[in-house]
Amino acid sequence: MVSALDQLYQQVIMDHAAEKHGSSPVTPSDTSSYQVNPTCGDEVTLAVTLEGDTLADLAWQGQGCSISQASLSMMNDLVAGKSLAEVEQLWNDFDQMMHSRGLELPDEVLDSLEDAASLQGTYKFPNRVKCALLGWMALRESIAKTQARQEHE
C-alpha cells in the first residue's frame, strides 16, 4: 500500500517531469555540459551564466525518464540566482540524500532541497540514483568550464 506522503511525492515528481522548469534550447558550447546515463539513455545538455559568484541563469534541454527530468526541473528551481557557495551546499545536500540508503536525514537538509526532497526514496533503486544525479553532474561541469573560461579571458 502506498502512503499518502508517497503519493504526494510521486505527484510532485510527475508534475516537474511534465513542466520541466528551466528547460529551453541550449546551444552546445565549450562551457556547456552534455551528460548521458548509458544505463537508461537519459541525456541532458546544460549551460550556465555566471555573474561574479552568482549563478545568474541556467538553461537545459534533455530527455529521459521522469526521475531525470523532474530532478533537472527541481534543480533549476533550487539553484537559479544562488551564489556558487549556496549551489555547492545544495549539491552536497542532494548528494547526501541520494546516497543515504534510507538513513534519516536532518530536517534542515530536506528543507533546503524543497521539492527535490520528494526524490529521497530513489536510493532504493540504484540505477535511478544516476538518473536523479545526471543534471547535477551537468551543472557542476558547466560551472567549472565557465569559471575556467572566465579566468582565461
Side-chain angles (χ1 to χ4, degrees):
M1 180 152 177
V2 177
S3 74
L5 184 59
D6 287 340
Q7 286 179 337
L8 174 63
Y9 282 173
Q10 288 173 0
Q11 189 59 52
V12 170
I13 292 167
M14 296 311 293
D15 288 349
H16 272 279
E19 294 172 17
K20 297 183 180 184
H21 301 173
S23 178
S24 60
V26 177
T27 303
S29 70
D30 62 346
T31 60
S32 67
S33 175
Y34 173 75
Q35 299 288 318
V36 64
N37 181 350
T39 306
C40 62
D42 294 346
E43 57 183 60
V44 63
T45 302
L46 185 143
V48 299
T49 302
L50 299 179
E51 292 178 2
D53 76 335
T54 300
L55 179 58
D57 192 33
L58 69 148
W60 64 272
Q61 200 165 20
Q63 60 184 17
C65 70
S66 59
I67 296 290
S68 71
Q69 300 304 286
S71 183
L72 279 154
S73 176
M74 294 169 185
M75 180 190 71
N76 176 83
D77 292 352
L78 281 172
V79 302
K82 296 281 188 348
S83 73
L84 294 180
E86 290 171 307
V87 171
E88 185 67 20
Q89 183 59 55
L90 288 164
W91 154 255
N92 289 332
D93 290 348
F94 191 78
D95 188 58
Q96 178 184 1
M97 183 182 73
M98 287 291 98
H99 294 99
S100 68
R101 298 182 183 206
L103 298 176
E104 194 164 323
L105 296 169
D107 287 341
E108 56 270 10
V109 169
L110 296 174
D111 290 347
S112 75
L113 294 174
E114 300 175 9
D115 281 356
S118 65
L119 294 167
Q120 184 176 14
T122 305
Y123 78 89
K124 297 174 190 172
F125 310 97
N127 285 342
R128 295 291 173 225
V129 168
K130 293 177 183 176
C131 301
L133 289 171
L134 187 71
W136 289 90
M137 303 308 274
L139 175 66
R140 294 187 78 190
E141 182 180 57
S142 184
I143 289 171
K145 286 179 170 182
T146 301
Q147 287 177 317
R149 183 176 195 196
Q150 288 175 345
E151 288 173 7
H152 291 91
E153 288 182 348

